[in-house]
C-alpha cells in the first residue's frame, strides 16, 4: 500500500484554548515567580564574581536548593493559579524562603565585591562611596535610591570627576539621583557628601548648582503634566486616564484617542473550569467605569516626577503612580490594588496612534508575531494570549517605522487590536479557590514609545530593566589586600553583541570552571566576543548538561537566531 502523505510542518505555537485564565489567575504566584527568578539570577551571577574576585566560598548548595523550590512552585496547578487554597498556603513560605536566601546571597556578594575594590580619592574627606551595580549585560542609566545615614541632615552626589549630580530628596531619609552609564555586568562609584546646614534642602534655590535641587514652584507648573526630554504626559483631571502622551523626540502623539491606561472591567462568570478559563463573551458584559477618588503630586523635581491617581472599581481601590524619570523614554505606572471583586476581569487599555497587522510578544528566549486582524478559526481563538516582559505594536508607513511597547514586571496576559494593546491585570475566580486573588496586589507596567523596530529600539532590554533594577551599596567595609587597582567603574563581563542576553554566569557542576549561558533575542545571527576587566575568557561551548560539544561546534562563537548557547569560562585571577 502507498505510504501516507507526510504530516504538514507546524510553524506556530501550541495554543491552549481552555487555559487563557491561567496567564492571570492568582497574580501573587506570578509575581513571586518573576521576582524569585530574577533574584536568583542576580544572586548566582554576583556570587560567582565574588568567588573570583574575593575568593569567597561559592554558595552552591544554597543556590541549588533555592532554584529547586522555584521550580517546584512552577508545577501545575500552582503557578497557573488553578489549585485549591491549601496549596497556596503551603507555597507562600516556600517563596519567602527563596526570597530570603537569594537576597542574603546577593547582598553578601555585592558587599564583598565592593569592599574588595580600591577606592579613588573622594572629592571631600567626609564623603561616602556609593557603589551602583548592574547585573545586566549592557551599559545602562537609571534612577537609584540612597538611604541617607542618620548623621546626614542633607546630602548631594558627586561623580568621580568631581561634578555635582542632580538629586532629589524623596523621603526625609531617601535621596534619588540618575546613576549614569553603569557598565555591562559591572559597577560605577559615586560619592555621597553631606550638605552644610546653610545649604540644606529647604533653602535650595532653582539655580543652586551645588545641590541640583529645585523648589517645585520654580520648575513645574501645577497642571497635571509630567515632562522630561523625551515625553510630555498629560493626565485627565476628570478620570485619571492618560489624555495625551507626546513623543518630543519624534514629534508624535502616541495615543490615538484620550483614555490611555483606561481600566476596563468585565463580568467574567458562567464559564466552567473557572480558574482556568476566561469567559469568551466577557467583552459583552462591561462593568461601570472607575470613579476618580483623588489626584495628587508626590514628586516634582529634576530627577523624577510622580503623580498619584486613586480610583474606585466596584469594591476595589486602584492606586496608580505615573512616574517619569529624567533621561528615560519610558512612562512607568506603579500600581497597588486592594482587590475585592468576584468573577471580574480588569484590563489596562492603551489606544495607540499606530495601525498594524501583527503584534509582537516576548516568549521564553524569543519573540512571536500574532495577527491583530484575526481571520482563520485558529487566529480567532487567540483573543487572549501569553507573553513575558513585553508586547509591541510597530507600524511601517512611507519608510517611517514607529512603535509602542507595553512592558510589565509580573503580568502574562495580553490582547491586541490593530490600534490597541491591553494588559490583563487581575481576575477573581471562585473555583477551585473561592478566595483567589482577593486582597493586596503590587505591580508595575510601562509604556515605551520608540522610533524604529522593537529590535533597533531595544525593547527586550527595556523589559529586562523594568524587571531588574540597579543595586546600590553605600559605604562598604574595606579590605586591605585588594589585587584590583583603583577604578571609577568596572565591567566584569560584556558579551559585545547587542542582541545577546546573559541568562546565567555560575560555577560549573564540576566545581572547577565557570559557565556562561546566553541567548540571541532579535532573530539575527550574533557574534559573541567576551570582554572583561577581570580577564575572563571563553573556552569551548558545552551543552545544557555542561558536556563538551563536537570540535566544530565547540570552537564557534557564532550564535544563530533564537539560539541558546553555553560556554566554559576561564578566569586568570
Amino acid at each position: 500500500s502507498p505510504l501516507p502523505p507526510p504530516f504538514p510542518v507546524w510553524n506556530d505555537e501550541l495554543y491552549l484554548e481552555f487555559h487563557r485564565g491561567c496567564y492571570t489567575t492568582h497574580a501573587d504566584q506570578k509575581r513571586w515567580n518573576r521576582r524569585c527568578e530574577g533574584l536568583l539570577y542576580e544572586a548566582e551571577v554576583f556570587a560567582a564574581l565574588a568567588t573570583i574576585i574575593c575568593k569567597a566560598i561559592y554558595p552552591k548548595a544554597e543556590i541549588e536548593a533555592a532554584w529547586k523550590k522555584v521550580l517546584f512552585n512552577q508545577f501545575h496547578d500552582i503557578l497557573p493559579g488553578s489549585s485549591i487554597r491549601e496549596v497556596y498556603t503551603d507555597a507562600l513560605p516556600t517563596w519567602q524562603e527563596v526570597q530570603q536566601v537569594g537576597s542574603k546571597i546577593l547582598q553578601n556578594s555585592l558587599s564583598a565585591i565592593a569592599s574588595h575594590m580600591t577606592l579613588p580619592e573622594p572629592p571631600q574627606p567626609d564623603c561616602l562611596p556609593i557603589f551602583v551595580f548592574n547585573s545586566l549585560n549592557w551599559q545602562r542609566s537609571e534612577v537609584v535610591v540612597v538611604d541617607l545615614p542618620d548623621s546626614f541632615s542633607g546630602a548631594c552626589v558627586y561623580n568621580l570627576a568631581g561634578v555635582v549630580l542632580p538629586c532629589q530628596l524623596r523621603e526625609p531619609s531617601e535621596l534619588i539621583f540618575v546613576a549614569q552609564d553603569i557598565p555591562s555586568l559591572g559597577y560605577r562609584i559615586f560619592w555621597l557628601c553631606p550638605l552644610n546646614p546653610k545649604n540644606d534642602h529647604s533653602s535650595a534655590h532653582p539655580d543652586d548648582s551645588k545641590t541640583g535641587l529645585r523648589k517645585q514652584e520654580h520648575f513645574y507648573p501645577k497642571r497635571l503634566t509630567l515632562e522630561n526630554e523625551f515625553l510630555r504626559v498629560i493626565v485627565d483631571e476628570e478620570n485619571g486616564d492618560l489624555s495625551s502622551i507626546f513623543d518630543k523626540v519624534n514629534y508624535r502623539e502616541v495615543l490615538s484617542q484620550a483614555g490611555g491606561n483606561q481600566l476596563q472591567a468585565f463580568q467574567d462568570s458562567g464559564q466552567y473550569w473557572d480558574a482556568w478559563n476566561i469567559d469568551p463573551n466577557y467583552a459583552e458584559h462591561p462593568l461601570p467605569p472607575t470613579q476618580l477618588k483623588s489626584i495628587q503630586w508626590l514628586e516634582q523635581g529634576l530627577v523624577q516626577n510622580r503623580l498619584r491617581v486613586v480610583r474606585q472599581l466596584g469594591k476595589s481601590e486602584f492606586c496608580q503612580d505615573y512616574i517619569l524619570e529624567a533621561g528615560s523614554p519610558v512612562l512607568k505606572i506603579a500600581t497597588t490594588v486592594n482587590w475585592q471583586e468576584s468573577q471580574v476581569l480588569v484590563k489596562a487599555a492603551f489606544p495607540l496612534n499606530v495601525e498594524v497587522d501583527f503584534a509582537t510578544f516576548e516568549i521564553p528566549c524569543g519573540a512571536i508575531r500574532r495577527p491583530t486582524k484575526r481571520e482563520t478559526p485558529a487566529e480567532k481563538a487567540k483573543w487572549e494570549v501569553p507573553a513575558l516582559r513585553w508586547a509591541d505594536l510597530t507600524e511601517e508607513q512611507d519608510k517611517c517605522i514607529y512603535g509602542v511597547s507595553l512592558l510589565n514586571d509580573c503580568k502574562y496576559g495580553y490582547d491586541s487590536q490593530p490600534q490597541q494593546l491591553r494588559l490583563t491585570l487581575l481576575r477573581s475566580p471562585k473555583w477551585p479557590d473561592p478566595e483567589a486573588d482577593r486582597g493586596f496586589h503590587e505591580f508595575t507596567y510601562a509604556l515605551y514609545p520608540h522610533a524604529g523596530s522593537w529590535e533597533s529600539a531595544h525593547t527586550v532590554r527595556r523589559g529586562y530593566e523594568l524587571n531588574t533594577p540597579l543595586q546600590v551599596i553605600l559605604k562598604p567595609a574595606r579590605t586591605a589586600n585588594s589585587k584590583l587597582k583603583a577604578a571609577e567603574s568596572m565591567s566584569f563581563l560584556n558579551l559585545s553583541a547587542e542582541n545577546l542576553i546573559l541568562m546565567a554566569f555560575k560555577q560549573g557542576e564540576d566545581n572547577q570552571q565557570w559557565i556562561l549561558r546566553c541567548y540571541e533575542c532579535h532573530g539575527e545571527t550574533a557574534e559573541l566576543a567576551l570582554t572583561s576587566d577581570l580577564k575572563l575568557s571563553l573556552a569551548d561551548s558545552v551543552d545544557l548538561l555542561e558536556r563538551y560539544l563536537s570540535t566544530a561546534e565547540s570552537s564557534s562563537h557564532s550564535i544563530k537566531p533564537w539560539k541558546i548557547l553555553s560556554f566554559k569560562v576561564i578566569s586568570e585571577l
Side-chain angles (χ1 to χ4, degrees):
S1 61
L3 294 174
F7 291 107
V9 175
W10 183 258
N11 188 25
D12 201 352
E13 61 189 316
L14 298 177
Y15 182 83
L16 296 176
E17 295 185 25
F18 292 100
H19 291 74
R20 301 180 183 95
C22 291
Y23 316 148
T24 305
T25 305
H26 259 291
D28 59 325
Q29 301 301 302
K30 275 70 171 176
R31 186 174 187 271
W32 276 114
N33 181 72
R34 185 80 66 88
R35 290 288 187 275
C36 288
E37 283 187 332
L39 175 61
L40 290 184
Y41 160 80
E42 291 189 283
E44 198 169 58
V45 164
F46 284 112
L49 293 170
T51 302
I52 293 170
I53 296 169
C54 316
K55 307 306 178 186
I57 298 175
Y58 186 75
K60 185 173 183 178
E62 293 90 335
I63 291 174
E64 181 176 330
W67 271 119
K68 286 181 177 179
K69 290 176 181 178
V70 170
L71 294 173
F72 184 89
N73 279 355
Q74 290 179 352
F75 168 79
H76 81 284
D77 295 273
I78 303 174
L79 184 56
S82 47
S83 201
I84 59 176
R85 163 55 48 181
E86 290 80 359
V87 167
Y88 300 107
T89 302
D90 288 345
L92 178 59
T94 304
W95 290 121
Q96 292 171 332
E97 290 167 9
V98 172
Q99 184 181 53
Q100 183 178 12
V101 170
S103 297
K104 182 179 179 180
I105 292 173
L106 175 59
Q107 291 306 309
N108 288 346
S109 300
L110 294 176
S111 296
I113 295 169
S115 67
H116 209 73
M117 299 300 166
T118 303
L119 291 174
E121 287 296 320
Q124 298 176 15
D126 51 358
C127 289
L128 301 178
I130 305 169
F131 280 78
V132 180
F133 286 91
N134 174 18
S135 62
L136 302 177
N137 62 289
W138 55 87
Q139 179 176 283
R140 57 194 282 216
S141 302
E142 188 175 288
V143 171
V144 297
V145 181
V146 179
D147 293 324
L148 297 180
D150 294 338
S151 59
F152 282 43
S153 59
C156 59
V157 177
Y158 287 79
N159 63 18
L160 267 290
V163 176
V164 181
L165 303 179
C167 54
Q168 187 174 323
L169 191 64
R170 192 171 73 174
E171 298 289 343
S173 62
E174 289 183 351
L175 195 70
I176 61 174
F177 71 97
V178 180
Q180 288 278 359
D181 301 332
I182 312 303
S184 166
L185 192 53
Y187 74 87
R188 184 173 295 277
I189 298 174
F190 302 86
W191 292 102
L192 182 70
C193 300
L195 288 176
N196 295 324
K198 64 180 180 180
N199 289 329
D200 65 13
H201 296 291
S202 62
S203 62
H205 191 268
D207 59 0
D208 190 338
S209 60
K210 292 186 177 180
T211 64
L213 296 171
R214 301 184 180 182
K215 288 186 177 181
Q216 295 180 14
E217 61 267 28
H218 289 292
F219 189 60
Y220 274 93
K222 294 183 178 179
R223 57 189 292 192
L224 301 182
T225 300
L226 302 88
E227 187 167 359
N228 66 6
E229 60 267 49
F230 292 98
L231 300 176
R232 182 186 303 118
V233 179
I234 301 176
V235 178
D236 192 322
E237 62 183 7
E238 297 296 326
N239 54 33
D241 294 346
L242 297 170
S243 59
S244 173
I245 303 176
F246 187 74
D247 183 337
K248 295 166 63 176
V249 175
N250 298 288
Y251 206 75
R252 179 166 179 153
E253 174 59 44
V254 175
L255 301 177
S256 62
Q257 63 190 56
N261 193 40
Q262 185 180 90
L263 300 180
Q264 299 177 350
F266 305 88
Q267 194 65 43
D268 180 24
S269 59
Q271 181 74 181
Y272 52 88
W273 302 101
D274 198 11
W276 287 261
N277 295 334
I278 295 174
D279 184 352
N281 301 312
Y282 77 90
E284 300 174 8
H285 306 286
L287 296 175
T290 59
Q291 298 298 310
L292 180 66
K293 296 183 68 175
S294 65
I295 298 180
Q296 62 173 327
W297 283 105
L298 298 186
E299 297 178 78
Q300 289 177 282
L302 289 173
V303 177
Q304 181 171 274
N305 300 286
R306 181 188 290 253
L307 180 68
R308 174 162 293 177
V309 175
V310 180
R311 292 181 276 189
Q312 191 77 23
L313 176 65
K315 300 177 182 178
S316 305
E317 182 179 274
F318 280 74
C319 177
Q320 296 196 299
D321 292 353
Y322 294 115
I323 304 171
L324 194 60
E325 300 173 351
S328 174
V330 176
L331 173 66
K332 296 180 181 179
I333 305 171
T335 305
T336 56
V337 186
N338 181 10
W339 184 242
Q340 299 297 333
E341 306 309 300
S342 179
Q343 294 188 312
V344 171
L345 173 77
V346 62
K347 290 175 170 282
F350 292 89
L352 301 174
N353 192 24
V354 296
E355 186 168 0
V356 302
D357 293 331
F358 290 89
T360 307
F361 302 84
E362 185 183 45
I363 58 176
C365 300
I368 189 170
R369 293 208 318 164
R370 298 176 175 123
T372 60
K373 301 174 181 177
R374 293 173 284 275
E375 298 177 352
T376 68
E379 291 172 349
K380 290 179 180 179
K382 297 180 183 181
W383 43 263
E384 178 85 359
V385 295
L388 292 183
R389 300 169 191 87
W390 56 268
D392 180 86
L393 295 186
T394 293
E395 172 187 74
E396 184 171 359
Q397 191 175 50
D398 298 328
K399 298 184 179 180
C400 177
I401 302 176
Y402 190 85
V404 183
S405 302
L406 180 54
L407 319 173
N408 77 84
D409 74 347
C410 61
K411 299 299 173 184
Y412 294 90
Y414 282 85
D415 73 78
S416 65
Q417 297 178 17
Q419 289 188 281
Q420 178 177 266
L421 278 174
R422 291 195 301 183
L423 178 66
T424 306
L425 303 182
L426 289 166
R427 299 185 69 224
S428 46
K430 295 174 65 176
W431 186 81
D433 179 4
E435 298 299 321
D437 281 314
R438 279 67 163 184
F440 179 81
H441 296 269
E442 184 177 9
F443 50 87
T444 297
Y445 52 99
L447 209 65
Y448 172 43
H450 58 82
S453 65
W454 63 266
E455 297 97 330
S456 64
H458 293 299
T459 287
V460 177
R461 291 184 173 185
R462 302 295 89 80
Y464 272 94
E465 289 166 2
L466 182 67
N467 283 263
T468 316
L470 296 172
Q471 299 285 342
V472 177
I473 296 290
L474 177 65
K475 192 186 176 183
R478 308 308 314 143
T479 301
N481 60 347
S482 174
K483 297 180 180 179
L484 299 174
K485 64 180 181 179
E488 173 186 359
S489 64
M490 291 187 71
S491 174
F492 303 130
L493 191 153
N494 192 326
L495 305 183
S496 301
E498 292 187 347
N499 53 331
L500 291 178
I501 303 294
L502 181 68
M503 299 177 67
F505 181 67
K506 58 183 281 290
Q507 191 179 74
E509 294 303 306
D510 59 7
N511 298 330
Q512 298 297 317
Q513 289 182 302
W514 302 97
I515 298 295
L516 180 154
R517 183 170 297 118
C518 62
Y519 75 93
E520 194 287 316
C521 67
H522 288 169
E524 303 169 353
T525 299
E527 294 296 328
L528 172 60
L530 178 63
T531 60
S532 171
D533 290 338
L534 296 180
K535 298 181 180 179
L536 301 176
S537 58
L538 288 177
D540 292 333
S541 59
V542 294
D543 64 15
L544 290 177
L545 296 179
E546 302 177 12
R547 301 172 301 190
Y548 284 103
L549 301 174
S550 65
T551 303
E553 291 178 295
S554 65
S555 60
S556 174
H557 295 162
S558 180
I559 301 180
K560 295 179 181 179
W562 313 123
K563 186 80 172 180
I564 303 170
L565 278 184
S566 302
F567 295 87
K568 295 274 188 178
V569 173
I570 299 171
S571 170
E572 298 180 16
L573 288 183

